[in-house]
Amino acid sequence: MPASAHHQRVLIYAASGARLEALKEALVGIGMRGLRAEASIEGSLQEARPDGAIVDASVSPASALALCRELLKATSNDLPILLILAAGDTCTLSHARSLGVREFAEHPSTPEVLALRFQGLLRAETAIELPETDRRTADAGGRDGLTGLSNRPSFLEGMDAVIARARAAGHMAALLYLDIDRFKAVNDALGHAAGDVLLQHVARILEDQVRATDLVHAGGSVMLSDASRLGGDEFTVLLSKVSQPEHAGDVARRILLAMRDPIFADGYQLAATASIGIAIFPQDGHDPETLLRCADLAMYAAKAEGRGRYRFYRPSMGALHHRRLEVEQHLRGALERNELAVHYQPRVDLGADEICAVEALVRWHSPALGEVQPREFIPIAEESGLIVSIGDWVLETACHQLHRWREEGLEALRLSVNISSRQFASCDVLRTVTDILRRTRVEPHALELEVTERLMLGADEGTALALRDLRGIGVTIALDDFGTGYSSLSSITRYPLDVLKIDRSIAAEVEADPAAESIVSAIVTLARSLGLGVVAEGVDAPGQAHVLMRLGCEELQGFLVTPALDADALAAFCRDWRGIAECTGPDATSDIG
């Protein structure tokens, strides 16, 4: 149904007149026209003849759903609708999907973002309706058939021209290379349709940045040339002129900021991030191939440092990329070659002054590479998908060990195991956990699973259901690294949790930094109000422990107690335990996974 002409017409149902006018203004800014939905739907359709509709269900869901039902009935389910939902309103979401609504946004979203989302919806509808011959025509015209951005051949041709102009004028140009983080997990878990929506969403963000053709900075300007999709989930933005390299970083920062808003794809909430590498002409290269390679290396460096960030190319990145490939190559066979081991770090119950639990941490000694630190190989395992098999192996190995310890007299010990978002995306977590518990003869209440804040941010109803089912059989759910990531109060209250684990970076500063102390105090207050336990990670010194005890933390773990130990050493440590007052911390620190 979407028209290909300019000034596409959009029917708007908004909760307020101010919201309506803001949406109309935002639509005008991208070449569309917004029209108020009148009481008579049939009359509105006949008069407006809209290409689609934006319906705000954040205030009055029942009225909005009734409107959607009438719109779809009157147009034989052929009208694209963007439905705006209140945060966490899964009930309205479910009803809307049953009616045939397929595109959703969560309130609050700015009118500009909603307009771009709707523009992407119309383009997606148009792309779906294009016959294969028309798609080939679009590709031959230099545009990517899915996103409408420039395709790879067009990008390379444009890059040649930009470099030639920059060389002649003696100024700098910049290439931004963007890769969506964990895109394969989206496709694996939700299907390619959801992946396509995410690609289109990113394309609209990049188009929005390119639309502002002259960004004035103190000391210079940035001329934006074009955004392209190279293929898969890889995109580029070509800056035809930059006065300073840092200005390219400003553009990358804006792109990453725009990606923070969650989107909905086929009823699922996606919270995507991206990694961006930046190469500068002429200092990093004098031709498209060299600049592309340098930007690619910088992008991988950004991923290695935690994703969701940008990095400028440096010559040393070539060696880092080679190291990453080498680690991944050897990691692929590490499990089969019995190179992995599980070590255990104890947790101390501060009230009882007893060791109450242990956290299972994977270690890797490679005959070819030596000791490889978890902070290096775990992100590579996540990115490559190897974390699924490694994570399942760690869980089963640790559960077997817990059963042996309990037979040896350590009956009160509980086990905590990290579980990655890739494991949730790639398998039936409930079945995996219950099968392992059955095989190892471990009671569910003895197991705690640690999930990340990133998983909570991107969690859909399926993830929430899996967490509830795990908790329902008696497994404890802990939120790891809390206090420095993405979690909001809504996500903490929406999903079933039992424990908050305060990030080690906060615990490390709590003795000397009043701000860190305030953060811990706020977390403890929040946890108590929600009936959650609080564990402090990374506690290395007695002074830190004293402050955390005073603030109300219930448990702690860290080098103050001991680094992670192998199974035999851990059992001996538990039997020799004399209390937290006897702990003085290590002489020198080492890495903890």
Side-chain angles (χ1 to χ4, degrees), residues 246-543:
E246 292 77 12
H247 295 164
D250 293 340
V251 176
R253 214 168 11 250
R254 286 177 41 186
I255 292 170
L256 295 176
L257 184 63
M259 289 191 66
R260 288 185 180 179
D261 289 337
I263 65 169
F264 287 87
D266 197 24
Y268 293 99
Q269 179 178 318
L270 305 179
T273 61
S275 300
I276 300 177
I278 304 175
I280 304 294
F281 170 86
Q283 67 188 46
D284 297 329
H286 294 83
D287 58 82
E289 292 75 16
T290 302
L291 289 171
L292 197 57
R293 179 177 58 82
C294 291
D296 186 32
L297 290 172
M299 180 272 292
Y300 272 108
K303 282 188 181 293
E305 293 178 27
R307 304 180 183 88
R309 62 193 66 199
Y310 70 91
R311 288 293 177 263
F312 286 91
Y313 170 76
R314 298 190 307 274
S316 60
M317 287 177 176
L320 292 174
H321 185 56
H322 176 76
R323 168 69 178 184
R324 184 195 182 284
L325 294 176
E326 187 179 36
V327 169
E328 181 177 345
Q329 177 187 356
H330 289 284
L331 184 60
R332 287 195 176 277
L335 199 56
E336 292 75 14
R337 295 189 298 268
N338 296 316
E339 295 173 8
L340 300 179
V342 180
H343 285 196
Y344 304 87
Q345 187 174 43
R347 265 175 28 196
V348 177
D349 181 328
L350 294 172
D353 200 11
E354 296 175 348
I355 296 174
C356 58
V358 295
E359 180 179 356
L361 300 167
V362 64
R363 295 292 184 260
W364 179 26
H365 178 82
S366 166
L369 304 176
E371 294 291 338
V372 185
Q373 296 294 342
R375 64 187 176 192
E376 181 177 17
F377 74 81
I378 292 295
I380 293 173
E382 288 270 5
E383 188 68 28
S384 63
L386 295 170
I387 195 67
V388 177
S389 57
I390 292 174
D392 290 350
W393 175 82
V394 169
L395 177 60
E396 183 149 9
T397 300
C399 284
H400 274 299
Q401 184 58 57
L402 180 66
H403 179 72
R404 285 193 289 271
W405 280 331
R406 292 195 158 203
E407 286 186 329
E408 295 168 1
L410 299 174
E411 295 93 347
L413 212 56
R414 293 181 292 112
L415 174 67
S416 183
V417 181
N418 292 279
I419 187 162
S420 78
S421 57
R422 290 296 292 265
Q423 288 172 273
F424 268 90
S426 302
C427 62
D428 184 341
V429 173
L430 178 63
R431 175 173 293 182
T432 298
V433 171
T434 53
D435 285 350
I436 289 174
L437 290 175
R438 176 180 49 79
R439 287 196 298 269
T440 59
R441 292 177 290 169
V442 167
E443 305 90 340
H445 65 80
L447 176 64
E448 176 181 283
L449 296 178
E450 298 187 20
V451 299
T452 64
E453 293 192 289
R454 188 180 295 276
L455 174 68
M456 302 303 290
L457 179 69
D460 53 43
E461 190 57 33
T463 299
L465 181 61
L467 290 171
R468 283 195 292 269
D469 287 344
L470 286 166
R471 197 164 178 246
I473 66 172
V475 173
T476 300
I477 306 297
L479 183 57
D480 198 16
D481 301 333
F482 183 73
T484 62
Y486 302 101
S487 285
S488 64
L489 181 60
S490 63
S491 68
I492 296 170
T493 55
R494 191 185 313 169
Y495 300 108
L497 294 171
D498 301 286
V499 176
L500 298 181
K501 296 194 73 175
I502 300 174
D503 186 79
R504 66 180 67 252
S505 65
I506 299 174
E509 300 295 330
V510 73
E511 185 179 9
D513 186 354
E517 182 174 334
S518 297
I519 292 172
V520 172
S521 178
I523 292 173
V524 170
T525 300
L526 170 65
R528 284 178 175 168
S529 69
L530 298 174
L532 306 178
V534 181
V535 179
E537 297 183 284
V539 182
D540 298 338

Side-chain angles (χ1 to χ4, degrees), residues 55-310:
V55 178
D56 188 352
S58 62
V59 175
S60 179
S63 299
L65 287 172
L67 177 65
C68 289
R69 186 181 297 108
E70 290 187 55
L71 287 172
L72 291 168
K73 182 180 179 181
T75 59
S76 302
N77 292 322
D78 195 32
L79 187 75
I81 296 176
L82 173 63
L83 189 65
I84 306 168
L85 299 169
D89 188 359
T90 56
C91 181
T92 302
L93 171 65
S94 178
H95 279 91
R97 291 182 64 194
S98 69
L99 294 175
V101 180
R102 289 292 175 262
E103 189 73 8
F104 303 89
E106 187 167 304
H107 181 78
S109 295
T110 67
E112 291 75 18
V113 167
L114 291 171
L116 288 171
R117 288 285 307 282
F118 188 78
Q119 184 183 57
L121 170 61
L122 290 188
R123 288 180 175 176
E125 293 281 334
T126 303
I128 290 170
E129 294 171 4
L130 278 176
E132 187 61 31
T133 53
D134 288 344
R135 292 193 184 211
R136 286 197 296 266
T137 301
D139 292 340
R143 314 304 292 183
D144 173 61
L146 177 65
T147 65
L149 298 181
S150 299
N151 59 20
R152 189 182 190 95
S154 179
F155 156 75
L156 293 172
E157 182 179 342
M159 198 170 176
D160 276 326
V162 164
I163 290 175
R165 287 196 300 269
R167 183 180 291 114
H171 60 67
M172 289 183 289
L175 172 65
L176 278 63
Y177 192 113
L178 179 148
D179 184 272
I180 302 174
D181 296 327
R182 297 188 175 94
F183 178 73
K184 186 177 183 298
V186 174
N187 271 342
D188 290 345
L190 306 182
H192 289 282
D196 286 351
V197 170
L198 179 54
L199 292 171
Q200 291 163 344
H201 174 66
V202 173
R204 301 294 77 78
I205 289 173
L206 299 184
E207 277 192 328
D208 188 40
Q209 304 310 313
V210 173
R211 186 173 292 113
T213 56
D214 189 14
L215 303 174
V216 178
H217 294 263
S221 64
V222 176
M223 296 300 297
L224 297 175
S225 175
D226 197 12
S228 308
R229 181 188 177 209
L230 296 189
D233 62 326
E234 298 174 335
F235 297 82
T236 59
V237 173
L238 188 56
L239 310 182
S240 59
K241 178 182 178 181
V242 292
S243 300
Q244 300 176 28
E246 292 77 12
H247 295 164
D250 293 340
V251 176
R253 214 168 11 250
R254 286 177 41 186
I255 292 170
L256 295 176
L257 184 63
M259 289 191 66
R260 288 185 180 179
D261 289 337
I263 65 169
F264 287 87
D266 197 24
Y268 293 99
Q269 179 178 318
L270 305 179
T273 61
S275 300
I276 300 177
I278 304 175
I280 304 294
F281 170 86
Q283 67 188 46
D284 297 329
H286 294 83
D287 58 82
E289 292 75 16
T290 302
L291 289 171
L292 197 57
R293 179 177 58 82
C294 291
D296 186 32
L297 290 172
M299 180 272 292
Y300 272 108
K303 282 188 181 293
E305 293 178 27
R307 304 180 183 88
R309 62 193 66 199
Y310 70 91

